Amino acid sequence: MTEIIRMDALSPDREGILRASEIIKRGGLVAFPTETVYGLGADATDAEAAKKIYAAKGRPSDNPLIIHIADPEDAEKYAYTNELYYKLAKAFMPGPLTVILPKRDSIPASVTGGLDSVAVRCPSHAVARELIRASGRAIAAPSANLSGSPSPSCAEHVISDMTDRIDMIIDGGKCDIGLESTIVKISEDSAILLRPGAVTYDALLCVCPKVEISHAVTDALAEGERPLSPGMKYRHYAPSAPLILLDGKDGDVLAFMKKAQQSENCALICYDEDAVSLDNKKLIILGSKDDLSAQANSLFSALRQSDKLDADVIYAHLPPKEGIGLALYNRMIRAAAHTVKKI
């Protein structure tokens, strides 16, 4: 039986935090809110607890987990840091940035997918930080969803996926950002962007002398290529029906959507501006065309909502690649299994 407790995101309940931390300490699983998405947490220093995460999610064991720490300096216990790490920490932590570093022996291979590096993040959400502090150790936590399905941006998503699979769910309301953290792998003076998020490429360039965008951000990994961070290798975020992204001018995409509504059993994920011209059937509104942050916050809810519409196919705009649009593009191209239709 999964216990569900509700907690104020700004003022965590101490008794509830202590109960959740005891579950972590004894090797159990707790889903908890962060500013990005909900995480599925276990003791990051316990190899068997990490294996429970993979089992609960149905997640491939070569897909690395992120460890969450209460303060940026705590990375020293689990990884070998450098000057660039602390520059990034000063600029973006606590917050939606994950940094990949060489791991120490305190982190078992089951957490890192067998890699000799570990992904480290210091969340800004009060519930997450209090839970980590009370647990007295880093918490390994991928997104708290079934593997491959859209990540959970509210507790209802976690309850749907994880009830009776884990020990506790902390309901802290809706996540502020709604997309997972930015992931970078760093050397002494440069970074490779492995997963885009709310900390954008341009923001990273303000701190790092050199930032390279991995080809895996926009393209599928080659056969046999090993994932360096979560979300690189496998089909992610996918609704049940095939998702097709429409690449073309806004007017042409809208015309295609209008025609598709008349001839196909389709669901449409569209902008506010599209909705006035479309029939109000199997229609999911993502946000204003120019408000990419709002679209990011709504994306995973939209993908989950599309599953309830009994459509044969789902159409959506192909996002731009600028700013947080690159994060939207990255998530949607994976949800669509890289299926893009030129309009």
Side-chain angles (χ1 to χ4, degrees), residues 24 65 84 88 100 129 163-164 166 192 204 213 254 308 313 340:
I24 297 292
L65 306 177
L84 182 54
L88 289 167
I100 295 180
R129 296 184 77 193
T163 297
D164 296 336
I166 64 177
I192 302 174
L204 290 168
I213 299 177
L254 179 58
K308 302 174 182 178
V313 64
V340 178

Side-chain angles (χ1 to χ4, degrees), residues 179 196-197 200 292-293 296 319-331:
L179 292 182
T200 64
L292 296 176
S293 293
K321 297 179 185 178
E322 293 77 40
I324 199 171
L326 183 62
L328 272 167
Y329 183 98
N330 171 263
R331 304 318 192 269

Side-chain angles (χ1 to χ4, degrees), residues 8 28 68-69 114 183 194 197 200 205 237 259 263 266 313 320 341:
D8 188 325
H68 293 64
I69 56 178
I183 300 179
L194 300 177
T200 64
L205 277 178
Y237 322 114
K259 184 176 179 180
S263 59
C266 65
V313 64
K341 182 179 182 65

